[in-house]
Amino acid sequence: MWDFSLFSHTSAYCINGGLSGFNVSLIHNLFEIAQTACMSACKHISTSLMELLLNPEVRQISIGALHQLNADVKECESFARAGPVAGFQGDTLLLAFSDLRQLLDLFTQWDWSTYLVDYGKPTCKYLRVNPHTSLALLEKMKETSRKNNVFAQFRKTDRDRQKLIDTIIKQLRNLITQQQA
């Protein structure tokens, strides 16, 4: 029998305790959801930008476009570094951009000698840059310089740059061949 003779105008202890436990659990779950959503958003942005670079329909890309993308990624990294959601260890969110960061650093700093000498070493500066990816991007840059500089063959600096790109492409192809062997 359920008797209301001692009605106290307050909720029962089991209801209060259950709801407060639910509230703590809900807050904890919302915190985890916010972390997951933030990490997922950063990974999605990074993956989308990398896919844009490597999209086969994008046949040409200039160094200026890479510098702009670099500025955009720096803004994303600034967001990640600011800790938009508490609870991430160190630079965890920055890891979402690390593949893209290393690729852009390689191209914007034109650091091919370091990449080619250190490739495959565990301490390599560009550990996350795949030679297939860098080759695909470099070939898009070569196509851009070839089509945009009709008169480039008459300027020594442009000819030298084109030769350098050709040399790097050969070295990357050799690296890929060695990797497959």
Side-chain angles (χ1 to χ4, degrees):
M1 172 176 178
W2 196 351
D3 184 10
F4 285 107
S5 60
L6 299 175
F7 181 64
S8 66
H9 297 289
T10 61
S11 59
Y13 172 77
C14 63
I15 297 297
N16 282 338
L19 288 177
S20 66
F22 175 76
N23 194 24
V24 168
S25 176
L26 180 62
I27 289 170
H28 179 73
N29 287 339
L30 289 175
F31 179 71
E32 286 179 356
I33 291 168
Q35 284 182 326
T36 301
C38 191
M39 178 57 89
S40 295
C42 288
K43 284 181 181 178
H44 177 74
I45 291 167
S46 180
T47 300
S48 296
L49 292 173
M50 184 70 84
E51 287 172 355
L52 175 67
L53 281 176
L54 300 177
N55 185 332
E57 292 183 22
V58 176
R59 293 187 180 99
Q60 300 176 30
I61 192 158
S62 69
I63 192 67
L66 291 178
H67 280 287
Q68 179 58 56
L69 184 62
N70 191 43
D72 295 340
V73 171
K74 283 182 180 180
E75 184 66 28
C76 293
E77 290 169 328
S78 176
F79 168 81
R81 205 174 283 110
V85 176
F88 284 108
Q89 296 292 323
D91 290 336
T92 301
L93 277 179
L94 283 176
L95 290 175
F97 299 101
S98 58
D99 292 3
L100 193 55
R101 165 56 42 226
Q102 287 187 14
L103 182 66
L104 289 170
D105 283 350
L106 174 61
F107 276 84
T108 58
Q109 296 171 16
W110 208 249
D111 196 13
W112 291 102
S113 57
T114 302
Y115 178 75
L116 293 167
V117 168
D118 290 349
Y119 182 78
K121 296 177 182 173
T123 58
C124 179
K125 180 178 179 181
Y126 301 104
L127 188 63
R128 295 177 169 271
V129 179
N130 182 306
H132 293 278
T133 302
S134 54
L135 178 61
L137 194 53
L138 196 58
E139 286 176 335
K140 290 178 184 202
M141 287 182 70
K142 179 181 177 180
E143 192 63 27
T144 299
S145 64
R146 180 181 295 142
K147 289 190 177 183
N148 288 345
N149 295 319
V150 176
F151 299 105
Q153 59 187 340
F154 302 115
R155 291 189 303 258
K156 183 172 178 3
T157 56
D158 290 334
R159 281 194 319 265
D160 290 347
R161 182 160 178 89
Q162 195 60 44
K163 285 180 185 177
L164 179 60
I165 290 173
D166 289 339
T167 301
I168 294 168
I169 286 174
K170 278 185 199 173
Q171 291 174 331
L172 285 171
R173 286 186 178 139
N174 288 338
L175 189 65
I176 291 168
T177 302
Q178 291 170 0
Q179 193 179 27
Q180 293 172 343

